[in-house]
Amino acid sequence: MSGDLINQAIVLLIVGALGILLWITFRFRDVKFGATAIVALLHDVIVVVGTFAILGTVFGVQVDALFVTAMLTIIGFSVHDTIVVFDRIRENLVRHAGAPFGDIVNHSIVQTLGRSFNTTATVLMTLLTLLVFAGGSIRTFVLTLFIGILSGTYSSIFNASPLLVWWEERAQARKAAAARTRTA
């Protein structure tokens, strides 16, 4: 890949990540939601780029402009899946006010798990069909999408939400410690 394409891809990813961070923070009124979504996206990017680094070294697979297109598609899919989970968390925060945050997040994940798996399974079956029967010109593109969407679904459920719980519980512990300090 040319240096210009790599630089453009990096700039696009950074600008896209900042836009996503700002939009999710605005939408959910909390920077924790936006930041954890970005961390989940970084996971997806690292998994796909790492996989293709290995494939390039072992099998000589080369990335091209379609790779950047696939990465942007993966980011969009992953953000959508993360937003679905976060939106359910926000709804359940109102419904189950006073319940522990971890329990609310767990309940929200359980509620959205079937939808996430069904959507992902449908997309992956289509991509697998394309991977097997499509020509060589789009094989790398389809493989990139397959790996990224699988990783994106995983990170929306198993990375973003636990990070959100960890961050919220730390913030609550700090508030409780500050309250104890003020009363003492």
Side-chain angles (χ1 to χ4, degrees):
M1 236 162 76
S2 74
D4 288 340
L5 185 58
I6 291 171
N7 290 337
Q8 289 174 353
I10 291 171
V11 168
L12 281 173
L13 289 173
I14 290 170
V15 169
L18 287 174
I20 290 166
L21 174 69
L22 293 173
W23 187 82
I24 292 177
T25 299
F26 171 75
R27 179 86 170 105
F28 291 96
R29 308 278 189 240
D30 193 346
V31 73
K32 287 179 266 201
F33 285 91
T36 55
I38 295 300
V39 170
L41 287 178
L42 285 174
H43 168 268
D44 302 338
V45 170
I46 290 169
V47 165
V48 174
V49 169
T51 301
F52 274 86
I54 293 168
L55 290 174
T57 303
V58 176
F59 298 111
V61 175
Q62 294 184 356
V63 296
D64 53 10
L66 284 177
F67 181 80
V68 176
T69 306
M71 290 301 296
L72 293 173
T73 305
I74 291 163
I75 288 170
F77 193 89
S78 179
V79 166
H80 177 265
D81 213 21
T82 303
I83 287 172
V84 167
V85 174
F86 284 177
D87 195 45
R88 187 55 57 104
I89 291 169
R90 183 178 55 188
E91 290 172 6
N92 285 335
L93 282 170
V94 174
R95 284 187 192 142
H96 305 289
F101 188 74
D103 291 347
I104 292 171
V105 170
N106 186 48
H107 184 65
S108 301
I109 290 172
V110 169
Q111 288 177 326
T112 59
L113 201 58
R115 176 237 164 250
S116 293
F117 283 148
N118 288 337
T119 302
T120 301
T122 303
V123 172
L124 291 179
M125 282 190 288
T126 305
L127 290 173
L128 187 60
T129 303
L130 284 171
L131 195 58
V132 171
F133 296 113
S137 62
I138 64 166
R139 188 158 280 139
T140 302
F141 175 71
V142 173
L143 181 62
T144 305
L145 286 175
F146 189 88
I147 294 166
I149 288 175
L150 189 62
S151 172
T153 301
Y154 172 84
S155 69
S156 295
I157 297 167
F158 299 109
N159 288 348
S161 300
L163 281 172
L164 184 64
V165 170
W166 174 79
W167 194 343
E168 180 65 27
E169 287 177 350
R170 280 194 57 188
Q172 289 175 359
R174 272 191 244 129
K175 285 180 186 176
R180 283 192 303 268
T181 303
R182 277 182 286 194
T183 58

